[in-house]
Amino acid sequence: MEILAIQILNSLFYASVLFLIAAGLSLIFGVMNIVNLAHGSLYALGAYITAWLIGRAIAGGSGASAIWLFLLMPIGALAVALVGAVIEPTLLRPLYRRAEEYQLLVTFGLLLILEDVMRFVWGGLPLTADTVVDALPIVRILGQLYPAYNLVVIGIGGIAALGLWAFVYRTRFGVMLRATSQDRRMASALGLDVGRVYILAFAIGCFMAGLGGAIVVPSQAAVLGMGVDALVLAFVVVVVGGLGSLKGALVGALIVSFVRTAGIQFFPEVELAVLYLIAGIVLLVRPTGLFGTA
Amino acid sequence: MALLQTVNLTKRFGDFRAVNSVNFTVNQGEFLSLVGSNGAGKTTLVNLISAQLWPDTGQVLFEGRDITQATVFQRIRAGIARSFQLVNLFDRLTVLDNVSLAIFSREGKARNLATLAEGDREVRTEAMDVLGLFGLDTKRRLLAGGLAQGERKLLDVAVAYALRPKILFLDEPTSGVGTRDKAQIMDTISAVVRAGTVTAVVIEHDMDIVFKYSDRIVVMHEGAFLADGLPAEIRVNKEVATVLLGAAVPG
């Protein structure tokens, strides 16, 4: 029973991070109709930048109180959003009229570049930021010890999900965003500034990925290749949930996380295979995913 | 002074002159109908005026200013709006959001993007006023895709109207709807024009409707103007009758 509670918490922790990545991927696809293969690398970039910032802050010895370190996480995510705001108008915008293969080639090229940039800047050694985890207490849950930091991550995931939902469905920009995603030509005929919607949507998607990296890095160090691993899992999430759907990203992230946590516990040899099997079955039965639209 | 004027406006598609040196004038406050057979150049002319297409030669003047080079957005800001032949609605947005979008568009970049749509009193009130005018206020929460054809046509006009244009171009606002809906759509449009808030240019095929509602009628044929006059004059114009009747009989 106690083990189960911890496993559920672990799944929720994992789901929070996966949701942040997959929601950004899904948002970008929903609005721009682009499958961003570099999305996992943007998540890794968020992790690296945040770990680096936290490392600098600690080395600088600026009091290094935990609150300060927590503030560095959104800054890491914002940095990634900024990268996104540069990438969209320069690299992606010329490609919207081209065939999908070109978009895949460009975002794949971007993936390779980002991976190499991270290797060049931060080297091959893992970059840790576990001071943040240590800054928070270990709490006792049903007699089991559990880092309070993980609960914070679960909280951030929940808040991010709510925040993104509110943003897309309750704000003025959200209305423009949904209109543009339904019909770009019509939105621009109505006089909406589609270019600005695109750049903001892409930056928000990148922010979500960067935030995912920022909150994961204190408990799992930033390592080369983490972006590609995350991309693969994010694809499983959006295949199950439906590409372009926020609800799908949330449900997909929960399903993948719970299955994976159970997999690590009960069938570690085929843990990933089971995930692909689920994705495959969803593709066969409901090609658009659980919440996707055709 | 004319509200809108085109000077020798020409658009070619290959060798085909879709709009051939047209001098078109629209006066403030009138309800003008643009008629003619398919391919006469009516929609192309409206596309040139609303910047969906760029002319090969000629000018578009609005309130005396040359707007030939102005973009869609600039023309909307100047006060030119249009609806399309095929209904142009965001089907997966609510009726209210469709109208609100037009208001956002009109206001441009100045306003805060993160404003909560629900708490956005002014926009909401204005959108509701527009919906009320077109008899759609009770449907505000429905998705636009769930409306009946006549209602969709009305909403389409309402969205263009919410841009608060000085001149409103409507491309076949009554195509594909029943007789009763047709009357309602035209009565509504006519009422807002009569109220003095907007000038309307309507592309329409149904001549009964054209004669009933128009202040002035312009007849196009093969990219040029064939006739321009009051409904009573157009009704007795033999040339017009031949052209329009010829179009009504296939082949």
Side-chain angles (χ1 to χ4, degrees):
Chain A
M1 193 59 217
E2 296 80 10
I3 297 292
L4 185 68
I6 295 300
Q7 295 294 21
I8 287 173
L9 285 174
N10 279 342
S11 302
L12 289 175
F13 170 87
Y14 199 52
S16 291
V17 178
L18 260 185
F19 168 76
L20 285 171
I21 305 169
L25 187 69
S26 219
L27 180 78
I28 289 168
F29 175 81
V31 177
M32 274 157 271
N33 231 351
I34 264 191
V35 177
N36 179 21
L37 291 178
H39 203 70
S41 308
L42 291 162
Y43 152 81
L45 190 65
Y48 269 107
I49 291 177
T50 308
W52 179 77
L53 284 172
I54 289 172
R56 299 291 298 179
I58 292 168
S62 57
S65 79
I67 297 299
W68 258 107
L69 297 179
F70 275 101
L71 281 177
L72 293 174
M73 295 190 197
I75 293 177
L78 273 175
V80 179
L82 214 62
V83 171
V86 174
I87 291 173
E88 196 277 331
T90 52
L91 282 179
L92 301 181
R93 196 164 296 178
L95 292 167
Y96 296 137
R97 287 154 190 261
R98 299 281 201 103
E100 273 168 25
E101 301 87 84
Y102 292 97
Q103 303 172 357
L104 290 177
L105 276 175
V106 162
T107 58
F108 184 65
L110 189 61
L111 177 157
L112 296 176
I113 292 169
L114 284 173
E115 293 293 317
D116 273 356
V117 165
M118 286 183 274
R119 188 193 307 270
F120 179 75
V121 175
W122 288 291
L125 290 176
L127 209 56
T128 57
D130 42 13
T131 321
V132 178
V133 179
D134 297 338
L136 292 182
I138 305 282
V139 293
R140 206 169 263 283
I141 291 169
L142 297 175
Q144 300 281 313
L145 294 175
Y146 199 71
Y149 179 76
N150 287 19
L151 300 176
V152 171
V153 169
I154 293 169
I156 291 175
I159 291 167
L162 263 175
L164 192 62
W165 178 84
F167 189 70
V168 171
Y169 288 99
R170 285 284 176 268
T171 67
R172 172 182 283 233
F173 182 71
V175 178
M176 296 189 205
L177 191 80
R178 284 180 287 140
T180 308
S181 87
Q182 278 177 43
D183 194 327
R184 188 178 71 97
R185 194 191 54 78
M186 230 160 72
S188 100
L190 193 58
L192 296 178
D193 189 345
V194 172
R196 196 170 56 134
V197 170
Y198 273 18
I199 198 167
L200 270 168
F202 194 77
I204 291 165
C206 291
F207 178 86
M208 301 290 284
L211 188 63
I215 62 173
V216 89
V217 80
S219 63
Q220 301 164 12
V223 292
L224 291 172
M226 72 185 284
V228 178
D229 290 347
L231 181 71
V232 170
L233 285 169
F235 270 122
V236 177
V237 169
V238 294
V239 161
V240 172
L243 198 49
S245 155
L246 273 188
K247 206 195 297 173
L250 184 62
V251 174
L254 286 168
I255 291 174
V256 168
S257 305
F258 275 89
V259 170
R260 188 151 188 230
T261 309
I264 291 170
Q265 182 83 1
F266 301 113
F267 38 89
E269 304 84 359
V270 291
E271 161 228 332
L272 275 176
V274 170
L275 285 178
Y276 296 141
L277 190 67
I278 292 175
I281 291 169
V282 170
L283 275 181
L284 280 176
V285 179
R286 228 185 120 78
T288 56
L290 297 177
F291 297 97
T293 45
Chain B
M1 187 186 67
L3 178 63
L4 180 115
Q5 211 176 348
T6 71
V7 183
N8 299 325
L9 203 63
T10 299
K11 179 70 185 175
R12 294 182 207 89
F13 296 113
D15 287 337
F16 176 65
R17 285 169 186 266
V19 169
N20 194 2
S21 197
V22 163
N23 293 296
F24 182 40
T25 304
V26 185
N27 301 308
Q28 177 76 43
E30 68 182 344
F31 189 117
L32 188 149
S33 289
L34 198 53
V35 301
S37 51
N38 286 324
K42 308 179 300 282
T43 297
T44 306
L45 178 61
V46 172
N47 280 339
L48 291 171
I49 293 170
S50 61
Q52 310 295 326
L53 282 176
W54 300 96
D56 293 314
T57 54
Q59 288 170 300
V60 182
L61 304 176
F62 186 64
E63 297 183 311
R65 260 179 339 115
D66 187 341
I67 57 159
T68 315
Q69 304 301 324
T71 61
V72 173
F73 182 70
Q74 288 165 334
R75 290 188 203 200
I76 287 175
R77 294 305 289 273
I80 300 176
R82 68 168 299 182
S83 77
F84 290 81
Q85 199 164 351
L86 300 170
V87 173
N88 227 8
L89 296 172
F90 298 101
D91 284 349
R92 280 177 280 131
L93 294 185
T94 62
V95 168
L96 185 68
D97 278 349
N98 267 281
V99 174
S100 301
L101 268 174
I103 298 171
F104 298 158
S105 163
R106 189 190 72 212
E107 289 179 346
K109 304 181 179 189
R111 298 287 291 265
N112 185 6
L113 288 174
T115 311
L116 286 175
E118 287 286 318
D120 212 338
R121 290 283 153 120
E122 278 169 55
V123 170
R124 202 184 150 79
T125 310
E126 188 182 337
M128 284 305 293
D129 284 350
V130 172
L131 286 176
L133 214 51
F134 289 84
L136 290 167
D137 40 345
T138 55
K139 314 255 176 181
R140 65 181 181 279
R141 289 188 185 285
L142 297 181
L143 294 183
L147 294 179
Q149 183 61 16
E151 295 167 336
R152 286 169 61 76
K153 282 284 190 180
L154 267 174
L155 179 58
D156 200 32
V157 178
V159 167
Y161 179 75
L163 292 166
R164 290 271 183 256
K166 290 172 183 150
I167 186 166
L168 179 56
F169 289 88
L170 302 170
D171 198 346
E172 303 195 17
T174 68
S175 68
V177 301
T179 317
R180 226 184 57 207
D181 285 339
K182 262 188 190 182
Q184 201 209 332
I185 291 169
M186 293 312 287
D187 284 343
T188 309
I189 297 169
S190 168
V192 287
V193 175
R194 301 286 169 247
T197 48
V198 72
T199 301
V201 176
V202 179
I203 296 180
E204 182 56 63
H205 282 296
D206 186 330
M207 288 312 286
D208 290 338
I209 282 190
V210 168
F211 286 130
K212 183 173 171 196
Y213 292 96
S214 313
D215 295 321
R216 184 157 69 97
I217 299 170
V218 169
V219 186
M220 275 188 93
H221 184 58
E222 293 177 351
F225 284 0
L226 184 72
D228 179 347
L230 301 173
E233 296 166 359
I234 299 297
R235 205 190 278 272
V236 294
N237 186 320
K238 290 251 160 48
E239 214 179 348
V240 169
T242 318
V243 165
L244 291 181
L245 215 64
V249 183

